[in-house]
Amino acid sequence: MQHHVLIVEDEPDIAEMIKMSLENNGFHTSHVDSIAAARVLLGSEKVDLALVDWMLPGGSGIELVRFLRKNEVTKLLPVIMLTAKAEENDVTAGLDAGADDYITKPFSPRELNSRIKALLRRSHAALDETLQTGRLLCNTSNHRVSVDGKTLALGATEFNLLQFLMSRPERVFSRAQLLDHVWGPGTFIEERTVDVHILRLRKALKPYQLDSLIQTVRGAGYRFSDQD
Ligand code: CA
């Protein structure tokens, strides 16, 4: 299956470099240079992953990511932000808005390819089964997580993280292990990214008083447990 990657980037040279590199690696690509054009395209075509530049004409890429997460059709769409800024605050803002990953310019086509493949892998990693712990249900075939029949809005990474931990209850995993298992081996991601996604997962579970299922084990990592 050929994956369709949407490139939202206003710098023609960078967009062209990304497009060529992805197409050489077997991806089908579409390129738009504004948030407005991205919205139009996403309304009419199925996209498997979006690369979203930080600074776009008419707004920030973060605005587009927020829009994607609010939209029923695109809320699980894997998103990688392309950022020229390496400051921690900006990276965190991108992840907080719902991006699954970020890559700092300048990046090599090879690194970008590897990030895209890793993100697609963890988005498709679902096994076809339903996991249940008390009121919490995780359906790995349709990627729905629900409590008392109500569906939780989770990003692709939060879903994969929950599924991974939930299918291995009581086991403690370090951040590095979670990166390997959930993000995929050989990804260029910092360990604090794991904390951001854990926080987001807890936030989604909190309205149901289920955030305590995702436990921090001091000095060791995280575990999924319904025991105190
Ligand atoms: Ca730009």
Side-chain angles (χ1 to χ4, degrees), residues 9-11 53 55-56 105:
E9 167 64 77
D10 60 314
E11 288 164 67
D53 186 31
M55 299 288 277
L56 290 161
K105 292 177 188 173

Side-chain angles (χ1 to χ4, degrees), residues 44-139:
S44 61
E45 288 190 42
K46 190 190 173 298
V47 169
D48 298 302
L49 184 143
L51 299 174
V52 179
D53 186 31
W54 191 274
M55 299 288 277
L56 290 161
S60 158
I62 287 190
E63 289 166 34
L64 177 60
V65 175
R66 289 205 186 100
F67 166 80
L68 296 175
R69 290 299 172 246
K70 280 190 200 134
N71 188 308
E72 192 62 32
V73 180
T74 55
K75 69 181 182 190
L76 296 178
L77 178 69
V79 174
I80 298 177
M81 291 213 67
L82 310 175
T83 171
K85 308 173 177 185
E87 285 92 3
E88 183 163 302
N89 286 347
D90 294 329
V91 164
T92 308
L95 295 173
D96 281 347
D100 296 288
D101 196 4
Y102 63 91
I103 187 164
T104 308
K105 292 177 188 173
F107 50 79
S108 70
R110 195 174 156 196
E111 184 184 3
L112 181 64
N113 266 291
S114 138
R115 293 282 194 95
I116 290 174
K117 283 177 184 158
L119 181 53
L120 286 172
R121 201 164 49 230
R122 62 188 198 258
S123 301
H124 296 303
L127 303 163
D128 193 2
E129 59 176 318
T130 300
L131 302 163
Q132 182 172 11
T133 301
R135 301 148 64 213
L136 180 65
L137 222 74
C138 175
N139 184 320

Side-chain angles (χ1 to χ4, degrees), residues 133 164-173 223-226:
T133 301
F164 178 80
L165 289 170
M166 212 174 159
S167 58
R168 296 157 183 86
E170 303 302 330
R171 276 184 60 187
V172 180
F173 293 94
R223 88 175 144 222
F224 183 93
S225 173
D226 59 356

